[in-house]
Amino acid sequence: MTLRPATADDLAAIMTLERTSFPTDAWSEAMMREELSSPHGWYVVDDEAGRLVGYGGLRAVAGAKDADIQTITIAEVSRGRGRGRAMLRALLEEAARRDVTDVFLEVRADNPVAQSLYASEGFAEIGRKPRYYQPDDVDAVVMKLDLRGWARRDEDGGVCT
């Protein structure tokens, strides 16, 4: 597994994985291109032997104390090997470098695997957005992480202080 910053050259591979992973509500190529070039965004890709098997993105506006995990996607054949967790941690580490204190995300209510991953890193559910994911009419679970607490927990070897 090799995590590296995403570049504009990764757009085609990201879009292939985006459309495969989110067939009913994939982002448009224009949206993704803008995300990759935004000064407020930071995207990483998981490269395996020259093949993109995952990507994730963070949006953290300069000077803001909160950030959002925009997306984390791992190719189905590469799931269950810690890649999502590694990517999530890379995004959180970048948020910490940007002096963020709180990180938010939305996750599909019908995705218990992702919810479990986020909870295991310290995210807590703070609300729901009914029918957020369209056209599927699936609720979004809104989660929040106190990044300072996460960083302390990480420094203490996984023990929350």
Side-chain angles (χ1 to χ4, degrees):
M1 169 173 36
T2 301
L3 292 181
R4 62 171 175 76
T7 69
D9 292 339
D10 295 313
L11 181 61
I14 287 172
M15 289 311 301
T16 297
L17 186 52
E18 173 77 7
R19 290 181 188 115
T20 301
S21 299
F22 308 110
T24 62
D25 60 350
W27 286 16
S28 71
E29 189 167 326
M31 288 172 63
M32 189 62 74
R33 182 181 301 109
E34 187 162 317
E35 283 291 306
L36 291 175
S37 66
S38 170
H40 307 300
W42 190 75
Y43 276 70
V44 293
V45 294
D46 183 350
D47 189 299
E48 182 178 85
R51 188 174 64 96
L52 190 137
V53 296
Y55 64 91
L58 174 77
R59 177 166 284 274
V61 175
K65 290 299 177 186
D66 64 327
D68 293 293
I69 301 291
Q70 297 289 84
T71 188
I72 294 177
T73 305
I74 304 295
E76 189 170 354
V77 298
S78 298
R79 293 179 189 159
R81 298 186 224 163
R83 291 174 184 274
R85 183 176 306 279
M87 192 168 297
L88 175 60
R89 287 181 176 172
L91 296 172
L92 295 174
E93 289 164 4
E94 178 64 20
R97 281 190 290 277
R98 293 180 182 212
D99 294 323
V100 166
T101 58
D102 295 307
V103 179
F104 296 86
L105 60 79
E106 290 95 17
V107 59
R108 289 176 65 106
D110 62 357
N111 189 345
V113 173
Q115 290 174 46
S116 178
L117 167 64
Y118 300 137
S120 73
E121 288 294 326
F123 279 86
E125 180 177 339
I126 60 167
R128 294 210 173 210
K129 293 181 181 180
R131 302 174 57 210
Y132 181 80
Y133 293 99
Q134 292 296 322
D136 302 326
D137 281 339
V138 174
D139 292 356
V141 176
V142 181
M143 302 182 87
K144 177 183 175 184
L145 174 73
D146 171 352
L147 193 57
R148 293 165 299 189
W150 176 83
R152 283 193 304 272
R153 182 187 82 163
D154 202 46
E155 289 169 2
D156 294 339
V159 178
C160 205
T161 58

